[in-house]
């Protein structure tokens, strides 16, 4: 989907889906299409258009020409951060675009970058079309709240997609209207300041319009608290990466740290979100729609066998499972995104989060009674969060139907952001927020908390959830480089020498397997932490400029 295609008016694809249940309305395949001139009339059609915007949240397995390519923020976070090895087929050539991204050698024709670009601009185009036609929609007097809610959600989702683009690509085109005729030819990249100002404008306008609670049966729709929570992320990334003290707001007053403290307190005190008593419950059978989650992206088991744009299961789960393995814990997956030794060592002794985050190959072999295929850059570990959990196995087309939702923002994340925001002005309050998260993990409280403490807690609390790399970037390129660089890697030896852990190739699967050199990483500062603008877009649109370092 090139910019030319997504900026032309009237081409919105709308999901003809029921909005009676959010669990349902994101589980059907949108096949029908109408033009904006004939579609937008009633609240029913407004709801259907909103569904189309939401649907792009989980559009993570899209086609580039004839190839289906996984993409979503967690994959980029793990590939570029220091918590995971890309893995895949033992050859090291599986999904080569992620291998290249992980070494900061992404190509300008990267399939992964292209589908991420398309996904976000697809969501933006859908939001723009709904918002541009909003005054034409007839809502009844009794639907005033609904009228506000739908508009607020559309504004917020547009801002969310732009934020994903900002964090991944930095220099992107921005448009908020339907463009007519050849107007797309004049679209060009805006400065980060302009882009973040528009993101902040959309979010601050959305918050008072969005509902505080979602009706029963419509779980998955987003409330004002989801918007406030992501606004915290926007503020911290922008002010951190660009060394600013305020977040600009287009046509409005810039947002300060004090404003963000107020927003964080509102989420913590009024959203109704509570920390799960058992951390592991966030990622097991009790995980979907857990009360700790503030921004949830729903995935579904529809039985779909379409290897492309209409797969609604979580492709990351399929990617993360161990290769050629079946046991009571996991079904077979593709062996990607496995924990690093650095992450393993980041956990303190007795941290209850560690077994909920990491599953060791030794335990899987003990369960199955046999070895399995070691993936590329094998560390004898797999993620235990989003993966091929046996309890979640679909009976048909298993690979495409992992119905484990993504907890994009949890209360624990907000508590740690709030701790960071309060650190310089109210140390006791910061420590209180920090210790809520720490004590849930079975660890002792700290009386005095530093920024390094909060950063460390974010790493182990949110590991493998799509936050680590962006947390590193906002701490500055020097710190990102220091944390990400790996030189002189030494393979970790096996923890058990028993023959039962040795695979057919003679490798002991309780230790690292592979060439130590392939574990090394050099962060390329020239690229400033961002992906390349897809070359096909630059070839088509001469006003676009490639990112630095490519």
């Amino acid at each position: 989907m090139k910019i030319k295609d997504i900026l032309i008016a009237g081409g919105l694809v709308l999901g003809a889906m029921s909005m009676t249940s959010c669990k349902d309305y994101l589980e059907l395949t949108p096949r029908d299409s109408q033009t904006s001139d004939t579609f937008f009339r009633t609240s029913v059609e407004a709801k259907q258009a909103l569904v189309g915007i939401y649907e792009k949240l989980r559009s993570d397995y899209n086609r580039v020409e004839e190839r289906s390519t996984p993409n979503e923020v967690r994959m980029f976070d793990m590939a570029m951060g220091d918590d995971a090895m890309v893995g895949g087929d033992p050859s090291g050539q599986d999904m080569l675009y992620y291998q290249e991204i992980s070494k900061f050698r992404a190509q300008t024709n990267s399939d992964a970058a292209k589908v991420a670009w398309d996904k976000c601009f697809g969501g933006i185009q859908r939001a723009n079309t709904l918002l541009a036609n909003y005054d034409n929609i007839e809502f009844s007097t009794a639907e005033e709240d609904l009228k506000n809610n739908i508009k607020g959600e559309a504004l917020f989702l547009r801002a969310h997609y732009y934020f994903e683009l900002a964090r991944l690509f930095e220099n992107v085109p921005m448009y908020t209207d339907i463009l007519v005729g050849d107007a797309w030819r004049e679209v060009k990249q805006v400065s980060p300041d302009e882009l973040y100002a528009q993101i902040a404008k959309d979010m601050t306008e959305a918050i008072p319009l969005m509902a505080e609670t979602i009706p029963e049966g419509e779980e998955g729709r987003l409330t004002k608290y989801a918007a406030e929570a992501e606004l915290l992320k926007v503020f911290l990334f922008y002010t951190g990466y660009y060394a600013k003290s305020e977040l600009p707001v287009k046509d409005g007053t810039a947002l300060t740290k004090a404003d963000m403290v107020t927003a964080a307190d509102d989420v913590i005190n009024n959203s109704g979100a509570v920390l799960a008593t058992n951390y592991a419950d966030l990622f097991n059978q009790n995980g979907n729609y857990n009360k700790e989650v503030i921004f949830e992206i729903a995935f579904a088991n529809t039985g779909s066998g379409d290897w492309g744009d209409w797969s609604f299961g979580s492709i990351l789960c399929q990617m993360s499972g161990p290769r050629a393995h079946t046991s009571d814990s996991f079904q077979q997956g593709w062996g990607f995104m496995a924990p690093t030794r650095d992450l393993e060592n980041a956990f303190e002794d007795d941290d209850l989060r560690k077994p909920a985050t990491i599953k060791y190959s030794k335990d899987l072999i003990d369960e199955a009674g046999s070895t399995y295929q070691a993936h590329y850059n094998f560390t004898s570990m797999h993620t235990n969060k989003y993966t091929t959990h046996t309890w979640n196995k679909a009976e048909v087309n298993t690979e495409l139907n992992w119905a484990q939702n993504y907890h994009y923002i949890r209360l624990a994340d907000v508590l740690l952001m709030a701790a960071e925001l309060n650190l310089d002005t109210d140390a006791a309050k910061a420590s209180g927020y920090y210790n809520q998260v720490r004590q849930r993990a079975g660890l002792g409280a700290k009386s005095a908390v530093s920024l390094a403490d909060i950063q460390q807690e974010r790493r182990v609390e949110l590991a493998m959830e799509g936050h680590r790399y962006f947390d590193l970037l906002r701490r500055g390129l020097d710190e990102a480089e220091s944390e990400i660089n790996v030189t002189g890697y030494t393979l970790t030896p096996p923890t058990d020498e028993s023959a039962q852990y040795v695979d057919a190739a003679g490798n002991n699967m309780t230790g690292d397997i592979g060439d130590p050199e392939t574990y090394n990483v050099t962060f390329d500062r020239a690229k400033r932490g961002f992906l390349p603008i897809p070359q096909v877009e630059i070839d088509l649109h001469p006003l676009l400029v490639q990112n630095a370092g490519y």
Side-chain angles (χ1 to χ4, degrees):
M1 183 186 295
K2 299 178 177 63
I3 290 180
K4 173 183 176 181
D5 301 320
I6 61 181
L7 296 185
I8 296 175
L12 178 64
V13 176
L14 299 166
M17 308 180 231
S18 167
M19 283 281 292
T20 58
S21 166
C22 190
K23 291 180 182 178
D24 293 336
Y25 77 63
L26 285 179
E27 293 179 4
L28 301 177
T29 302
R31 298 292 191 185
D32 300 335
S33 63
Q34 289 179 256
T35 67
S36 58
D37 292 338
T38 62
F39 185 79
F40 295 100
R41 294 292 182 267
T42 69
S43 62
V44 172
E45 291 157 337
K47 292 176 185 178
Q48 291 175 335
L50 181 64
V51 169
I53 307 171
Y54 269 99
E55 188 274 325
K56 298 305 289 183
L57 288 175
R58 53 106 180 273
S59 180
D60 295 332
Y61 197 46
N62 307 119
R63 289 191 179 99
V64 176
E65 297 176 350
E66 296 304 315
R67 302 180 299 280
S68 293
T69 304
N71 81 99
E72 65 141 278
V73 69
R74 288 175 292 180
M75 299 178 197
F76 293 108
D77 167 73
M78 287 187 280
M80 294 188 283
D82 56 350
D83 280 353
M85 304 300 299
V86 169
D89 182 273
S91 68
Q93 301 300 304
D94 198 359
M95 297 190 188
L96 188 57
Y97 35 82
Y98 276 116
Q99 300 291 350
E100 293 168 339
I101 286 170
S102 74
K103 303 297 186 183
F104 297 91
R105 297 196 292 262
Q107 303 299 304
T108 59
N109 64 347
S110 169
D111 283 356
K114 179 65 169 65
V115 291
W117 176 278
D118 289 351
K119 165 191 167 178
C120 291
F121 273 113
I124 290 163
Q125 182 254 2
R126 293 180 182 193
N128 284 346
T129 305
L130 173 57
L131 292 168
N133 287 279
Y134 214 70
D135 291 341
N136 299 328
I137 302 171
E138 295 181 4
F139 290 89
S140 69
T141 304
E143 293 178 322
E144 191 64 26
D145 285 345
L146 179 65
K147 178 181 180 180
N148 288 333
N149 296 164
I150 292 176
K151 183 176 182 180
E153 289 170 62
L155 281 167
F156 172 54
L157 287 169
R158 179 171 70 185
H160 168 78
Y161 292 123
Y162 270 127
F163 182 44
E164 285 208 0
L165 288 168
R167 290 193 297 176
L168 292 174
F169 299 96
E170 185 183 35
N171 301 298
V172 299
M174 185 184 72
Y175 68 105
T176 57
D177 297 316
I178 299 176
L179 302 183
V180 179
D182 289 338
W184 62 270
R185 296 181 182 275
E186 304 304 316
V187 174
K188 53 187 176 180
Q189 291 141 304
V190 297
S191 70
D193 289 347
E194 291 175 279
L195 181 57
Y196 278 92
Q198 180 63 49
I199 292 168
K201 173 182 171 66
D202 278 353
M203 288 190 175
T204 53
E205 289 183 358
I207 288 167
L209 297 174
M210 296 173 73
E212 294 189 5
T213 59
I214 293 301
E216 185 177 352
E218 295 191 12
E219 293 89 345
R221 287 183 64 185
L222 300 173
T223 67
K224 61 170 280 190
Y225 301 111
E228 287 182 315
E230 189 166 37
L231 185 59
L232 300 178
K233 286 193 174 294
V234 173
F235 179 88
L236 287 170
F237 187 85
Y238 174 80
T239 57
Y241 186 86
Y242 296 102
K244 301 292 182 71
S245 61
E246 297 179 332
L247 174 66
V249 180
K250 183 179 180 181
D251 304 324
T253 304
L255 296 172
T256 66
K257 184 180 288 189
D259 294 324
M260 293 300 98
V261 168
T262 300
D265 287 347
D266 190 33
V267 176
I268 292 166
N269 298 324
N270 300 316
S271 68
V274 294
L275 290 179
T277 303
N278 179 14
Y279 182 82
D281 280 344
L282 290 161
F283 309 103
N284 61 24
Q285 298 94 320
N286 302 310
N288 285 359
Y289 306 110
N290 189 290
K291 290 185 178 180
E292 181 172 331
V293 185
I294 296 166
F295 189 142
E296 184 142 358
I297 298 177
F299 288 94
N301 171 12
T302 63
S304 168
D306 187 339
W307 290 82
D309 295 350
W310 306 115
S311 298
F312 293 155
S314 171
I315 198 64
L316 179 63
C317 288
Q318 177 61 31
M319 291 179 68
S320 300
R323 297 179 68 85
H325 169 84
T326 301
S327 69
D328 290 342
S329 292
F330 293 156
Q331 298 296 298
Q332 63 180 349
W334 296 340
F336 285 92
M337 309 306 178
T340 60
R341 294 295 178 184
D342 194 46
L343 174 61
E344 178 190 30
N345 294 329
F347 288 94
E348 297 174 56
D349 293 341
D350 302 321
D351 190 330
L352 298 177
R353 293 169 295 200
K354 186 175 181 180
T357 303
I358 295 173
K359 188 76 170 181
Y360 285 93
S361 105
K362 180 181 185 300
D363 297 328
L364 294 179
I365 294 169
D366 288 343
E367 285 183 27
S370 61
T371 58
Y372 52 97
Q373 187 178 44
H375 57 252
Y376 185 62
N377 287 344
F378 189 76
T379 61
S380 81
M381 295 179 287
H382 304 277
T383 178
N384 201 21
K385 287 187 173 180
Y386 299 102
T387 186
T388 53
H389 294 292
T390 294
W391 58 262
N392 197 26
K393 180 180 182 293
E395 292 303 316
V396 296
N397 299 312
T398 301
E399 299 95 331
L400 300 177
N401 288 285
W402 296 103
Q404 184 179 4
N405 293 352
Y406 171 32
H407 306 330
Y408 169 45
I409 303 179
R410 301 189 276 112
L411 179 61
D413 188 356
V414 176
L415 287 168
L416 292 172
M417 288 191 286
E420 186 173 341
L421 290 163
N422 281 281
L423 191 59
D424 295 334
T425 55
D426 193 335
K429 186 177 180 183
S431 295
Y433 286 150
Y434 167 88
N435 282 322
Q436 285 186 53
V437 178
R438 184 172 174 79
Q439 290 177 294
R440 194 261 300 269
L443 301 173
K446 292 187 177 182
S447 57
V449 175
S450 68
L451 179 59
D453 290 329
I454 296 170
Q455 292 169 342
Q456 164 66 14
E457 204 65 27
R458 286 188 62 80
R459 182 179 194 182
V460 292
E461 172 69 27
L462 303 171
M464 318 296 280
E465 295 183 45
H467 306 286
R468 171 66 175 174
Y469 178 68
F470 303 107
D471 278 350
L472 289 177
L473 274 191
R474 68 182 176 87
R475 285 152 58 176
L477 295 182
D478 286 343
E479 194 159 351
E481 182 177 36
S482 174
E483 293 289 325
I484 291 170
N485 277 0
V486 178
T487 57
Y489 188 87
T490 301
L491 297 180
T492 297
T495 59
D496 195 310
E497 295 292 347
S498 299
Q500 70 193 79
Y501 303 114
V502 178
D503 66 14
N507 299 307
N508 188 312
M509 297 184 70
T510 67
D512 291 354
I513 298 173
D515 178 356
E517 177 60 30
T518 66
Y519 289 77
N520 292 331
V521 178
T522 300
F523 179 78
D524 187 348
R525 291 176 62 97
K527 296 181 172 67
R528 304 178 62 252
F530 299 109
L531 296 174
I533 306 299
Q535 189 62 44
V536 66
E537 304 293 351
I538 291 176
D539 292 343
L540 184 62
H541 307 281
L543 294 180
L544 298 190
V545 177
Q546 185 55 268
N547 279 340
Y550 292 99

